């Protein structure tokens, strides 16, 4: 039995990227996550948090990354939860919940009031207060939309639901959460 209390969340470091890629590969193969180039992952390290398990062998503590997730600032009050994943061995043990809670805290600390995600895991995100984006609703003001159109970031294009990214979104659901400013405990 795995105890989720054995884990902690911390900011990612460059040395975590190979393990994150190892954990991402099965999800990319199953088309749950979009693959990311190493250069993009290294460039995004400051956006990532990792969940780590600490084990002790022969008196030495060993830290193993078992999950990861990022919050990316898209605009003044708007961010995106990106690339959230957990080792298959740790699914169902609260690791994803703890990561998402920590990402929401980070988003609040950055001054964000809305979080977007593009996901197949709709039930997980719904349990955490995310709602499906209404296709006919206006997500941002027209002037913000015009500015976001200038972005070269594919995540922004996915948020805007631009036709050019539809082949890459794998049929994911666009979801959004309005954050309250009271931080949750991790």
């Amino acid at each position: 039995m795995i105890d989720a209390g054995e884990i902690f969340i911390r900011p990612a470091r460059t040395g975590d990227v190979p393990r994150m890629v190892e954990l991402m590969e099965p999800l990319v193969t199953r088309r749950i996550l979009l693959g990311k180039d190493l250069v993009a992952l290294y460039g995004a390290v400051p956006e990532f948090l990792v969940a780590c398990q600490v084990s002790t062998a022969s008196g030495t503590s060993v830290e193993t990354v078992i999950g990861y997730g990022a919050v990316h600032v898209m605009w003044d009050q708007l961010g995106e939860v990106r690339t959230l994943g957990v080792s298959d061995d740790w699914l169902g043990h609260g690791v994803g919940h703890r990561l998402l809670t920590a990402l929401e805290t980070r988003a609040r600390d950055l001054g964000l009031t809305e979080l977007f995600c593009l996901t197949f895991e709709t039930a997980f995100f719904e349990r955490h207060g995310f709602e499906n984006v209404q296709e006919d609703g206006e997500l941002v003001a027209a002037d913000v939309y015009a500015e976001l159109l200038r972005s070269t970031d594919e995540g922004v294009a996915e948020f805007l639901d631009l036709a050019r990214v539809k082949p890459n979104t794998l049929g994911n659901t666009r979801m959004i959460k309005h954050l309250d400013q009271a931080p949750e405990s991790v």
Side-chain angles (χ1 to χ4, degrees), residues 71-86:
V71 63
H72 176 77
V73 175
M74 296 171 69
W75 196 252
D76 163 273
Q77 302 286 313
L78 176 66
E80 179 184 9
V81 173
R82 288 187 173 177
T83 320
L84 178 63
V86 173

Side-chain angles (χ1 to χ4, degrees), residues 141-155:
D143 60 332
V144 173
Y145 184 91
E147 286 295 324
L148 289 174
L149 278 176
R150 298 166 50 108
S151 175
T152 59
D153 185 289
E154 291 298 299

Side-chain angles (χ1 to χ4, degrees), residues 17-47:
V17 171
R19 175 65 177 155
M20 290 166 50
V21 168
E22 180 183 328
L23 292 173
M24 286 176 198
E25 285 176 353
L27 299 173
V28 171
T29 300
R30 294 193 317 251
R31 297 181 54 86
I32 294 169
L33 279 181
L34 292 173
K36 298 209 181 290
D37 293 327
L38 276 175
V39 69
L41 286 171
Y42 279 111
V45 163
E47 298 179 348

Side-chain angles (χ1 to χ4, degrees), residues 130-186:
F130 283 76
E131 299 174 349
N132 288 351
V133 170
Q134 300 301 317
E135 297 303 322
D136 56 352
E138 184 178 282
L139 290 174
V140 292
D143 60 332
V144 173
Y145 184 91
E147 286 295 324
L148 289 174
L149 278 176
R150 298 166 50 108
S151 175
T152 59
D153 185 289
E154 291 298 299
V156 172
E158 290 162 352
F159 170 75
L160 297 175
D161 202 28
L162 301 179
R164 70 177 171 82
V165 295
K166 290 201 184 284
N168 296 326
T169 60
L170 310 173
N172 293 353
T173 299
R174 296 164 64 230
M175 301 183 83
I176 198 156
K177 179 177 183 176
H178 303 280
L179 298 174
D180 60 3
Q181 289 305 305
E184 297 180 30
S185 62
V186 176

